[in-house]
Amino acid sequence: MDFGKAVAFPFSGRNMNKILQIALVFGIITAMQLILNGNNEYGPGTFFGVIGGLAFGLFMSGYGVTIIRAINKGEDALPAFQIGKNISDGFRIFLAGLIYMLPIIILVVIVAMMMTASMSDAFMNDMLYTLETGREPAYSSDYEQAMGGAVLMLCGTMIVMVPLAIILSFAAQIGIVRYAIEEESRVLFQFGTNTQLVFSNFGKVFKLLILMIVLGLAYGLMGGILGGIVGVVLGAGVSSGIGLIIFAVVLNIVSQLLGTMQQVTNFHLLAGFAQETGLAPTRKQKEVYAFD
């Protein structure tokens, strides 16, 4: 995983051209929500926002598979778009992601049900006490004790859920890497194998996590700076009309551009991760295979 190469990857001329195309298309689609809804939270533009966000997610996930595959073949430029295949691959990845997140979903549902049942029982006990005695419960009422217990339960759940979510997230990403290398969709759904690969490559997974966090913070800072510049240049004095539309579209495209660049960089890191862990053959190994 070469962080410098990964960061520089989206900025090369050929790659930036493709990234701009993605940002323009999906930025304009999602900007329609702001344009059509105006100052309203909901409206006819909500459809474009939902569709734009969903299409972007599916496309970028699927296109990421193509990016990883191309990088591991030694290419230094983003591959051509294959819209249908990219979205199809993205949908497979989405389904696999749901499977990986099932333990988290089940845990959240169980904890929520337990908290709700405990607080509901405590509330009813306090109500019955008030009806029977005509007095409010003491400070340490059943409901307040249940609230304290719920907070402790929530904290305990988070201690378990956060590391579990990280492990499952990287298991899913290993599935994506293996799909890119092996080109068999079944590897996306090999929950046990991919989770085991997280633990057997824990050091490299931790390194990848740190690099992705640093990257996210860097792009977040960049987004804040660019958003501020757009706001100063275009947003000053704009309150309605065509000016507001232009401001909304430009701001949305800038946001989409940075999001696309960050994802492309993440896929480059995943391609490097594949080589470091042996999931993908290195260039030297490819030369040996070719010689054989």
Side-chain angles (χ1 to χ4, degrees), residues 84-96:
K85 188 177 188 316
N86 295 150
I87 292 178
S88 174
D89 284 343
F91 187 69
R92 290 190 184 94
I93 291 168
F94 171 73
L95 291 178

Side-chain angles (χ1 to χ4, degrees), residues 67-87:
I67 294 172
I68 295 169
R69 193 172 292 153
I71 292 172
N72 278 298
K73 287 179 180 178
E75 298 175 17
D76 58 357
L78 285 172
F81 303 133
Q82 297 173 286
I83 306 298
K85 188 177 188 316
N86 295 150
I87 292 178

Side-chain angles (χ1 to χ4, degrees), residues 28-278:
I28 290 172
I29 291 173
T30 52
M32 292 298 294
Q33 178 173 0
L34 301 172
I35 295 167
L36 295 177
N37 288 2
N39 294 325
N40 299 319
E41 187 176 355
Y42 301 104
T46 305
F47 171 79
F48 288 95
V50 172
I51 294 298
L54 179 61
F56 176 74
L58 293 177
F59 171 77
M60 280 307 298
S61 296
Y63 188 48
V65 170
T66 312
I67 294 172
I68 295 169
R69 193 172 292 153
I71 292 172
N72 278 298
K73 287 179 180 178
E75 298 175 17
D76 58 357
L78 285 172
F81 303 133
Q82 297 173 286
I83 306 298
K85 188 177 188 316
N86 295 150
I87 292 178
S88 174
D89 284 343
F91 187 69
R92 290 190 184 94
I93 291 168
F94 171 73
L95 291 178
L98 287 179
I99 293 174
Y100 285 93
M101 286 300 108
L102 268 179
I104 300 294
I105 295 170
I106 292 170
L107 179 62
V108 169
V109 169
I110 291 173
V111 171
M113 289 174 64
M114 290 173 63
M115 289 172 61
T116 302
S118 173
M119 292 175 68
S120 178
D121 287 345
F123 180 75
M124 290 302 298
N125 289 339
D126 283 357
M127 286 289 292
L128 288 172
Y129 178 86
T130 301
L131 290 172
E132 290 173 358
T133 64
R135 299 192 304 271
E136 291 289 330
Y139 178 72
S140 58
S141 66
D142 287 350
Y143 184 72
E144 288 170 345
Q145 290 178 21
M147 282 283 287
V151 170
L152 290 175
M153 187 184 297
L154 187 60
C155 291
T157 303
M158 292 300 293
I159 291 172
V160 174
M161 194 164 63
V162 171
L164 179 61
I166 292 172
I167 290 167
L168 294 176
S169 171
F170 277 97
Q173 291 186 69
I174 285 176
I176 294 171
V177 169
R178 291 183 62 210
Y179 177 45
I181 305 304
E182 300 176 33
E183 301 188 35
E184 294 185 12
S185 57
R186 64 181 176 80
V187 301
L188 282 169
F189 302 92
Q190 290 179 343
F191 182 91
T193 301
N194 295 333
T195 303
Q196 185 179 2
L197 283 168
V198 172
F199 289 103
S200 60
N201 297 281
F202 190 78
K204 293 180 177 65
V205 168
F206 184 73
K207 177 184 175 182
L208 180 60
L209 172 63
I210 296 301
L211 292 178
M212 286 183 168
I213 290 173
V214 170
L215 190 67
L217 292 173
Y219 270 98
L221 178 62
M222 199 185 308
I225 293 171
L226 289 178
I229 292 172
V230 171
V232 169
V233 174
L234 296 178
V238 171
S239 59
S240 61
I242 190 68
L244 183 60
I245 293 174
I246 293 172
F247 172 68
V249 171
V250 172
L251 192 61
N252 214 59
I253 290 173
V254 168
S255 174
Q256 201 76 46
L257 174 65
L258 293 175
T260 304
M261 291 173 68
Q262 182 179 347
Q263 289 210 40
V264 167
T265 306
N266 281 338
F267 290 129
H268 194 288
L269 289 173
L270 283 172
F273 173 83
Q275 292 191 358
E276 285 192 16
T277 55

